[in-house]
Amino acid sequence: MLLLAAAFIVAFVLLLYMVSPLISPKCLKLPGAHVVVTGGSSGIGKCIAIECYKQGAFITLIARDENKLLQTKKEIEKYSVNDKQVVLCISVDVSKDYEQVENVLKQAQEKLGPVDMLVNCAGTSVTGKFEDIEVNSFERLMAVNYLGSVYPSRAVIATMKERRMGRIVFVSSQAGQLGLFGYTAYSPTKFALRGLAEALQMEVKPYNVYITVAYPPDTDTPGFAEESKTKPLETKLISETSSVCQAEQVARVIVKDAIQGNFNSSVGSDGYMLSILTSGMSPVTSITEGLQQVVCMGIFRIIGLFYLGSFDSIVRRCMMQREKSESADKTE
């Protein structure tokens, strides 16, 4: 009886693997495609642009700093695979004025054709304890990290639906899956991207347009280096529990998942575990992905509880050390 049950399970899993490719989206072909990358002058955005350019795409880079854009343009052009490829640079703040964002994207499409893939990578971070962060920082981060993704997406979505083709990528963060000490201003903006992505995916899936939410871990970028300067001790100690990834590695994973139409994009074993744990009611790209979530959820929840316990221990230990130090200062 047990052998029969085991055989049935194996046959069921094999059937899922066979059927899964039939219901998964067709891959987006990057040669000749028009890829727009916001926040593309440095870090993960720049590496994503390079990865797409290596595969034959036409690139529109959008960022605020014109000098950085021009430097990045020269760097990307070294990776051309044919003489027809173009790197277009546009200097604009994607978080301030929707009409301006819409106009510059119209100009980009007039020059390089309709947008096949939009990568929303513009973002910034502020770390610190909740009561120490300036109130205007909460507003600024929500504008840049959330509205800075809403505006470009809103500007291209109608054309993608008309063409029955397109990819939109929202670059969130592992801090958009798990709230951590020191990220009370940053994490909510990255959590918000998932809510937007889930609702938008339900709207555009019938039009063969697919959304990807990327959850990169700590990544070696200029932004991460700047963020590390102001991290509270608790945040630094928690961050030490995981390794720092290279931007090139993260970019390759994001591009691969985006062209395949995967909703979730994560890097490494911790990223895989977090994606399973936080899957909730998020869309799945294949039956096998859903099966993995069902099978692994329980054991990953147990592992996650140990992680949370260690994080709480770090916070308590730091608090006690701080209180001892303050008491010693008062007695002197």
Side-chain angles (χ1 to χ4, degrees), residues 104-123:
V104 297
L105 281 169
K106 282 182 179 178
Q107 294 171 17
Q109 293 183 91
E110 288 171 359
K111 294 179 180 179
L112 300 183
V115 176
D116 297 292
M117 183 162 79
L118 167 66
V119 183
N120 293 290
C121 204

Side-chain angles (χ1 to χ4, degrees), residues 4 21 25 30 38 41 57 79 90 99 105 120 133 135 149 165 168 184 186 250 258 279 284 286 288 293 300 309 317:
L4 183 62
L30 283 181
T38 71
S41 62
Y79 298 95
I90 299 176
E99 290 186 359
L105 281 169
N120 293 290
I133 299 174
V135 172
S149 294
M165 182 180 72
I168 295 179
T184 52
Y186 178 72
V250 172
S279 56
V284 293
S286 66
T288 51
Q293 293 169 357
F300 283 175
R317 189 166 66 248

Side-chain angles (χ1 to χ4, degrees), residues 43-44 47 174 215-222 224-225 239 242-254 266-271:
I44 295 174
C47 292
Q174 285 188 353
Y215 299 104
D218 286 343
T219 306
D220 186 11
T221 64
F224 177 70
S239 296
S242 60
S243 58
V244 177
C245 289
Q246 296 300 308
E248 294 82 1
Q249 175 193 2
V250 172
R252 283 194 295 270
V253 172
I254 293 174
S266 59
V267 179
S269 56
D270 285 349

Side-chain angles (χ1 to χ4, degrees), residues 299-319:
I299 186 65
F300 283 175
R301 178 57 176 166
I302 295 172
I303 296 171
L305 290 174
F306 279 102
Y307 271 96
L308 289 173
S310 68
F311 295 161
D312 286 340
S313 177
I314 289 171
V315 173
R316 285 194 299 270
R317 189 166 66 248
C318 289
M319 183 189 71

